[in-house]
Amino acid sequence: MGIRLGAIADDFTGATDLANNLVRAGMRVVQLIDVPEDGGYDIAGDADAVVIALKSRTVPVAEAVDASLRALAWLRGAGAEQIYFKYCSTFDSTPAGNIGPVTEALMDALGTGFTVATPAFPDNGRTVFKGHLFVGDVLLSESGMRDHPLTPMTDSNLVNVLGAQTTRPVGLIDHAALAAGADAVRARIDELRSEGVAFAIADAVSNDDLVRLGEAVRDLPLVTAGSGLAIGLPANWGLQPSTAAARLPAAGGYRAIVSGSVSVATNGQVREFLDSGRPAFSVDPLRIAAGADVAGEALAFAEAHLADGPVLIYSTEAPDAVRGVQSRLGAAEAGELVERTLAEVARGLVARGVRQLVVAGGETSGAVVQALGVTGLRIGPQIDPGVPWCAATLPDGATLHLTLKSGNFGAPDFFSAAFSLLEKS
């Protein structure tokens, strides 16, 4: 039997976020890092769903489309019955894309003229009401995302946001249809299709809304969403929540955290770690640009403290500080310097015996897993909504327990909670 659900995620933390919700709903999930070469990576009937993690959120549109179509071809070859395009719960994108263009390309490849779109994830405070995306109690445009260095989100109306990126009409499945149940949602879909609408933003203010939406879209070849919709799909194949789906091998080795996120949530988590007095090393992009061996310094610091517990290596700053660095180095250059350095640090940490590694930030996570040569992840138990522990087999055969955390996710004590959970399980 082939896999039931094939998912394409536009960044690495988003992929584990999606996989986490599928596991919680009863699916055995394997996450692949990029599209396997030459058809490689044998899932051997050991998964109900496969999530392919790309690094396509902020690359040029043509690159994002090409990568997504390659992922689609692999998933269809593996027998996927339905395709899920996963993007961020804050709909990170620009008027040029990449959400709209990638979705249109997938629709064309699948021969379908309609799909739904919702970044809603109520467990993490992301809700959609009358087409407007809320982050906690504020509109997206009033949240910290309005200052994102790569994808500033200044409009909360997702019909407008998606409409600016697409060549086809965008409509709305509002809260009234969701509240009335799956049949009402299907009727609304039929109505929109008869009007020539190709994309429907779907409201969702609760998990119940997402479950009803999941039932309603069971026959669509393609769905697009954040990770929230995942809770409503496994039941379409008769699967139910089970702890067995989240089992991982026993953990050992040293513990470390690598953080490159500039989000409000991660800034709070770094502050909590620093306030606790535990060992931490700050990575300065300006010193990297000046030629200093910052990675070597960070690894020397870590080596002196690994035996005493988790060590944090971070380049996480408030928006004003980030803008100051970008004004001197350029946004792209600053980001690439930090990613490259943190990836080198992560590789060095693993070489020094770290086997429990938390990585914060989508771009940082992508750089780290590529540097480590990780090709696939088994998804395990949830730490906080949207963030699970995973297990990877390193090229030398060792097992690495790895968490790829979206910058926006997690409670203030996330770092300590993550290691505590792994120890208990």
Side-chain angles (χ1 to χ4, degrees), residues 13 17 20 89 121 123-126 261 263-272 358-361 382-388 403-418:
T13 58
D17 172 15
N20 172 67
S89 64
F121 188 7
D123 283 354
N124 253 336
R126 312 298 193 263
S261 171
S263 73
V264 173
T266 303
N267 267 288
Q269 291 153 5
V270 168
R271 281 195 303 273
E272 193 275 343
V358 173
V359 186
Q382 175 177 280
I383 304 163
D384 270 346
V387 195
T403 287
L404 307 176
K405 186 191 82 71
S406 172
N408 293 306
F409 285 4
D413 65 346
F414 178 85
F415 296 149
S416 57

Side-chain angles (χ1 to χ4, degrees), residues 128-130 172-188 201-216:
V128 181
F129 182 71
K130 294 191 175 181
L172 176 66
I173 302 171
D174 71 8
H175 65 287
L178 267 300
D183 288 341
V185 174
R186 280 189 283 264
R188 177 59 177 158
I201 298 294
D203 280 357
V205 298
S206 69
N207 285 350
D208 288 342
D209 287 341
L210 292 172
V211 170
R212 288 188 283 264
L213 180 62
E215 181 183 350

Side-chain angles (χ1 to χ4, degrees), residues 257-400:
I257 305 143
V258 173
S259 176
S261 171
V262 298
S263 73
V264 173
T266 303
N267 267 288
Q269 291 153 5
V270 168
R271 281 195 303 273
E272 193 275 343
F273 191 94
L274 296 175
D275 290 345
S276 72
R278 288 171 287 184
F281 182 94
S282 177
V283 170
D284 183 350
L286 297 177
R287 292 193 65 242
I288 302 172
D293 182 13
V294 176
E297 295 170 6
L299 288 169
F301 174 87
E303 196 162 8
H305 294 91
L306 283 171
D308 300 323
V311 173
L312 168 64
I313 311 296
Y314 69 101
S315 180
T316 298
E317 299 289 351
D320 286 346
V322 173
R323 283 191 289 268
V325 172
Q326 290 177 338
S327 69
R328 297 178 64 176
L329 301 179
E333 177 66 14
E336 289 172 7
L337 284 173
V338 170
E339 285 175 32
R340 190 163 58 243
T341 299
L342 292 179
E344 184 179 346
V345 167
R347 188 167 53 237
L349 289 170
V350 170
R352 287 160 174 78
V354 168
R355 292 295 180 267
Q356 301 173 45
L357 180 64
V358 173
V359 186
E363 299 300 314
T364 305
S365 293
V368 166
V369 296
Q370 290 174 335
L372 293 176
V374 171
T375 59
L377 299 169
R378 167 64 64 183
I379 308 303
Q382 175 177 280
I383 304 163
D384 270 346
V387 195
W389 273 109
C390 309
T393 301
L394 297 171
D396 65 0
T399 297
L400 173 68

Side-chain angles (χ1 to χ4, degrees), residues 1-6 48 75-76 78-83 110 218-222 236-237:
M1 179 183 293
I3 58 175
R4 274 82 174 238
L5 184 69
D48 303 303
L75 291 167
R76 294 178 80 183
E81 299 170 21
Q82 186 176 52
I83 301 298
L110 289 166
R218 65 185 305 160
D219 295 324
L220 293 184
L222 172 70
N236 292 338
W237 287 280

